[in-house]
Amino acid sequence: GNSAEARQNSAGAASRVNKTLGRRHRQMIDAWTPYGTSGAIPEDIAEDLGLPVHVIRPRAGELVKRGRLFEIGKRKGLLGCDVMAYSVERPKGGDA
């Protein structure tokens, strides 16, 4: 909502997330690195780290925007849908 209390709660939550974001980004890069050029989908990383996939996906998007993770194409996810795979290595020829 737009109440003062809601805005304060949102600001507090954002502050807590921002304090751990650097650590979480390093954790994501470390988790994707062993996959090399073949990359991995967020479900793989979630399983490796024992975290829910909804924690992994936003971090992947943030790292793509920062140029630290690269989209390398889509693969079948655990539910049978195509999901983006990422790699810490830039695909040859630029973007995927």
Side-chain angles (χ1 to χ4, degrees), residues 48-65:
D48 292 348
L49 297 178
L51 292 170
V53 73
H54 72 267
V55 171
I56 307 300
R57 288 186 194 284
R59 303 301 77 83
E62 292 161 0
L63 289 165
V64 167
K65 287 179 184 175

Side-chain angles (χ1 to χ4, degrees), residues 64-79:
V64 167
K65 287 179 184 175
R66 291 178 177 209
R68 301 285 316 273
L69 205 58
F70 304 96
E71 295 178 338
I72 59 169
K74 293 199 174 198
R75 298 185 189 156
K76 293 284 183 211
L78 296 177
L79 298 176

